[in-house]
Amino acid sequence: MKAIVGTLIVMGCFLGGYVPHGSLSILFQPLEMLIIFGCAIGAYIIGNPGWIIKGGFAGALALAKPSSFNKQLYMDLLGLMFRIFNKARREGLMAIEADVEEPHASEIFNAYPKIVKDHHVVDFICDYLRLMISGASNPYQLEDLMILELDVHHHEAMAPSEAVAKVAEALPGFGIVAAVLGIIVTMSYLDAGPMEIAHHMSVALVGTFLGILAAYGFVGPIASDMGNRAHESSAFFTTIKTCLMANLNGYAPQIAIEFGRKSIPGKLRPTFNEVDEYLQTQK
């Protein structure tokens, strides 16, 4: 929704400042658009592997919806971790083996459908719980492994936004290409009247305008917001890591959850009392 509102503001301000003094028809140049955006998409495809290409388009479209990383999702995560830790503390680590091996059949996991829907999150939680069940209890080694995996995850999450940002950087250049081609076309009309030459010059300049507007008004901000979503995802995984490490270091379930709560970004972090009251409903 935020992306849609921002797009409407950009378009509204652009049109509001231009329409009183100019004609919209001159700005609609399909061939100029074909050169600029076709070349930009082609360069994007040439320069990136398939998963980044797909991630870029999917990530841009996802901006039309609110971010899934909200306060309630963090509360669900803390509730899930608390119930797992509580069961393991009361019944032993082997008691959670069935939940870890088949999370989609687990009563504990299925109590939090928004968490279960993200297979990356579920895999991350289950992989490290499985290691703990298997006897990998050295906290330093597991923490190093988590840090390595989170670094890889963050790099992969940022890759589509970085690729789209490069497209934004290239768009003004493609606008200049379109403008130069327009001037070349204009050269063949030098024996025409002044109005004909002026029209073709205007069409050529539209190419530069479209490239710059698309870069700084749309594609650049889209890449930036995609990067913000990637950072939100990384912060969520960091909270999982914090909870798991606190539990591995022997802290009681509620204390481990408090460690996790403190790692949540400030704007989304619930208070101690909010978490305490919530956990009372999760036992």
Side-chain angles (χ1 to χ4, degrees):
M1 181 59 71
K2 177 173 65 69
I4 295 175
V5 171
T7 298
L8 292 175
I9 291 174
V10 171
M11 291 298 297
C13 292
F14 148 61
L15 293 173
Y18 173 77
V19 169
H21 307 286
S23 170
L24 283 177
S25 61
I26 193 65
L27 298 182
F28 182 69
Q29 300 296 333
L31 296 181
E32 298 276 318
M33 294 179 183
L34 176 64
I35 293 170
I36 298 168
F37 299 113
C39 289
I41 292 173
Y44 176 69
I45 292 172
I46 292 170
N48 297 286
W51 68 272
I52 291 182
I53 296 170
K54 182 180 178 181
F57 286 114
L61 293 174
L63 297 181
K65 300 178 182 178
S67 172
S68 60
F69 297 101
N70 51 37
K71 185 175 181 179
Q72 185 56 52
L73 189 68
Y74 275 101
M75 293 289 276
D76 287 349
L77 174 64
L78 297 181
L80 170 64
M81 303 305 286
F82 177 75
R83 290 184 63 181
I84 291 174
F85 297 161
N86 220 19
K87 183 175 180 180
R89 188 178 183 87
R90 290 177 177 176
E91 305 174 29
L93 272 175
M94 296 305 297
I96 64 171
E97 184 175 17
D99 299 294
V100 170
E101 294 300 332
E102 296 186 32
H104 294 284
S106 165
E107 180 183 348
I108 294 179
F109 276 92
N110 284 324
Y112 307 94
K114 291 182 179 179
I115 299 290
V116 173
K117 187 170 66 174
D118 190 330
H119 73 90
H120 294 294
V121 169
V122 173
D123 289 346
F124 185 81
I125 294 172
C126 291
D127 284 348
Y128 286 99
L129 288 174
R130 189 179 294 111
L131 284 172
M132 293 178 192
I133 294 170
S134 301
S137 58
N138 186 314
Y140 299 106
Q141 291 179 344
L142 276 184
E143 185 170 23
D144 287 344
L145 183 59
M146 287 185 191
I147 291 171
L148 175 62
E149 183 171 353
L150 290 181
D151 284 344
V152 172
H153 170 270
H154 185 67
H155 174 74
E156 291 179 348
M158 286 296 296
S161 68
E162 292 169 352
V164 173
K166 290 179 181 178
V167 173
E169 294 173 1
L171 277 169
F174 287 124
I176 293 172
V177 169
V180 170
L181 291 175
I183 292 173
I184 291 173
V185 171
T186 302
M187 293 298 100
S188 64
Y189 289 88
L190 289 180
D191 58 346
M195 292 302 295
E196 184 74 13
I197 295 173
H199 171 76
H200 287 286
M201 284 297 296
S202 297
V203 171
L205 291 174
V206 166
T208 303
F209 156 74
L210 288 176
I212 295 173
L213 177 65
Y216 297 109
F218 302 104
V219 181
I222 285 173
S224 178
D225 206 20
M226 287 172 62
N228 293 336
R229 295 284 177 96
H231 286 298
E232 290 176 354
S233 175
S234 295
F236 194 76
F237 278 87
T238 298
T239 298
I240 298 173
K241 167 186 168 291
T242 305
C243 290
L244 290 170
M245 288 307 305
N247 179 73
L248 183 61
N249 279 296
Y251 288 99
Q254 193 140 359
I255 301 301
I257 297 308
E258 175 60 13
F259 273 55
R261 184 188 74 84
K262 297 296 285 185
S263 72
I264 297 173
K267 64 182 183 298
L268 299 174
R269 184 187 304 147
T271 65
F272 176 86
N273 289 333
E274 285 177 324
V275 173
D276 187 54
E277 292 174 4
Y278 178 71
L279 295 183
Q280 296 299 322
T281 68
Q282 305 301 305
K283 293 181 178 180

